[in-house]
């Protein structure tokens, strides 16, 4: 396995395939780099160098008890990018990974990043507070914390239905997709998963979005039951200096998997454009 030992001793697992312009994929909670299989294969065939890492505490990386916050995630990416000497890179993040992307680009990416993509991302902020009155109530995230901390195997199995929209009338459920989500989730560390809920729900990315001047594509499903479209995708696109929004009626949160053909086509057009 390819892994990098970071300055604090954490080992970050990563996949690095192909040659050409690098595309770095950042996965969502509580998954791993494997969640990008459909994109890794597609862009490898298109002649790109494709890289996907497992965030600290997730997948095959060290099951850290500390550092499970967005600033550390972004700093970890910066170490990996420097180690691989990536330049003119495209960074694509799904869900929590979208937050990781915009924080990395804003704080560490100058001179190394060509474009970025936020897919079903948690930006600018999820939780309801005084500045974000229409946000998701804290009680929702407390339920996710409780499920993760006390009954993770069953909670993760149940979570997949809303994640992929399999709970919608007429939806065609894929047991393989559900099982693969569960497999990825259970590979990670429970403490890191628990801490990451705060990171993806309470981190405010408003200033990161405002500060980034490279082209940023925002892709979001209008039937996202995990990260509501109007609360995140619509707002994020408006905050960006050079942003473009594409929304998809009926698409779920996990659309890079269930709607890979459409998503890959739009990603490729943006990268080549």
């Amino acid at each position: 396995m390819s892994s990098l030992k970071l300055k604090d001793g954490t080992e970050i697992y990563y996949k690095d395939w192909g040659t050409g312009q690098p595309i770095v994929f950042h996965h969502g909670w509580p998954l791993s780099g494997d969640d990008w299989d459909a994109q890794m294969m597609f862009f490898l065939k298109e002649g790109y160098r494709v890289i996907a890492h497992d965030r600290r505490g997730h997948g095959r990386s060290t099951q850290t008890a500390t550092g499970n916050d967005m600033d550390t995630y972004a700093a970890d990416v910066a170490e990996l990018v420097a180690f691989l000497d990536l330049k003119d890179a495209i960074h694509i993040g799904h869900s929590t990974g979208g937050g990781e992307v915009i924080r990395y680009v804003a704080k560490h990416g100058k001179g190394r990043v060509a474009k970025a993509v936020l897919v079903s991302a948690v930006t600018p902020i999820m939780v309801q507070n005084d500045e974000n009155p229409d946000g998701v109530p804290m009680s929702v995230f407390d339920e996710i914390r409780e499920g993760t901390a006390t009954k993770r195997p069953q909670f993760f199995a149940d979570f997949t239905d809303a994640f992929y929209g399999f709970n919608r009338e007429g939806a065609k459920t894929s047991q393989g997709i559900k099982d693969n989500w569960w497999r990825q989730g259970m590979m990670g560390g429970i403490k890191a998963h628990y801490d990451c809920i705060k990171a993806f729900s309470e981190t405010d990315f408003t200033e990161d979005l405002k500060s980034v001047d490279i082209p940023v594509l925002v892709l979001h499903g209008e039937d996202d039951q995990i990260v509501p479209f109007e609360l995140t995708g619509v707002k994020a696109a408006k905050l960006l200096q050079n942003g473009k929004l594409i929304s998809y009626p009926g698409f779920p949160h996990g659309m890079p998997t269930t709607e890979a053909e459409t998503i890959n086509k739009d990603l490729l057009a943006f990268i080549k454009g």
Side-chain angles (χ1 to χ4, degrees):
M1 296 200 311
S2 297
S3 64
L4 169 66
K5 182 171 279 192
L6 303 176
K7 293 172 185 174
D8 72 349
T10 300
E11 290 195 17
I12 296 294
Y13 169 85
Y14 67 92
K15 294 177 273 194
D16 181 4
W17 307 336
T19 58
Q21 186 178 19
I23 303 177
V24 185
F25 294 95
H26 305 244
H27 65 79
W29 176 93
L31 305 171
S32 74
D34 292 352
D35 201 44
W36 290 107
D37 282 355
Q39 286 69 42
M40 294 277 283
M41 290 296 287
F42 176 83
F43 284 99
L44 183 64
K45 290 177 182 176
E46 289 289 334
Y48 292 89
R49 178 182 177 186
V50 292
I51 297 139
H53 67 291
D54 294 358
R55 184 174 302 116
R56 68 166 56 219
H58 295 65
R60 290 142 293 206
S61 293
T62 304
Q63 293 193 5
T64 47
T66 58
N68 304 306
D69 60 84
M70 203 56 68
D71 284 337
T72 305
Y73 297 158
D76 292 351
V77 172
E79 281 197 58
L80 179 62
V81 165
F83 173 71
L84 297 175
D85 194 25
L86 304 180
K87 295 169 183 172
D88 193 35
I90 314 292
H91 284 262
I92 302 176
H94 177 251
S95 196
T96 301
E100 182 178 276
V101 163
I102 209 69
R103 179 59 54 90
Y104 162 73
V105 173
K107 304 296 184 187
H108 308 279
K110 192 169 183 62
R112 287 191 178 270
V113 184
K115 296 179 181 179
V117 186
L118 309 178
V119 185
S120 312
V122 297
T123 53
I125 185 171
M126 288 273 287
V127 75
Q128 183 183 67
N129 57 30
D130 290 343
E131 290 76 38
N132 192 40
D134 57 345
V136 178
M138 182 65 80
S139 60
V140 172
F141 301 112
D142 287 340
E143 288 177 13
I144 297 173
R145 268 185 277 270
E146 175 71 12
T148 299
T150 64
K151 51 186 178 184
R152 188 168 65 141
Q154 189 59 53
F155 180 72
F156 279 9
D158 295 340
F159 200 80
T160 56
D161 283 326
F163 195 95
Y164 292 112
F166 293 152
N167 57 352
R168 294 307 198 204
E169 186 176 353
K172 184 179 179 182
T173 299
S174 166
Q175 191 61 44
I177 288 175
K178 288 164 63 78
D179 290 348
N180 191 42
W181 195 100
W182 187 89
R183 174 192 69 84
Q184 292 177 69
M186 293 306 296
M187 285 171 69
I190 190 169
K191 177 63 163 62
H193 285 166
Y194 183 90
D195 292 349
C196 187
I197 297 163
K198 180 180 178 69
F200 76 64
S201 63
E202 297 181 47
T203 304
D204 190 341
F205 300 98
T206 301
E207 295 307 315
D208 302 291
L209 291 160
K210 288 180 180 179
S211 71
V212 169
D213 59 2
I214 61 168
V216 181
L217 177 64
V218 178
L219 302 181
H220 217 109
E222 294 178 16
D223 193 35
D224 191 325
Q225 300 172 65
I226 308 299
V227 179
F229 166 61
E230 294 288 345
L231 175 64
T232 53
V234 172
K235 291 184 177 181
K238 290 177 180 176
L239 289 166
L240 290 161
Q241 295 181 42
N242 191 5
K244 177 185 178 182
L245 172 65
I246 300 176
S247 65
Y248 306 92
F251 280 21
H253 186 64
M255 65 184 187
T257 297
T258 59
E259 308 291 344
E261 185 176 353
T262 298
I263 300 304
N264 291 349
K265 181 186 70 172
D266 288 342
L267 288 173
L268 183 62
F270 173 70
I271 291 168
K272 286 188 168 183

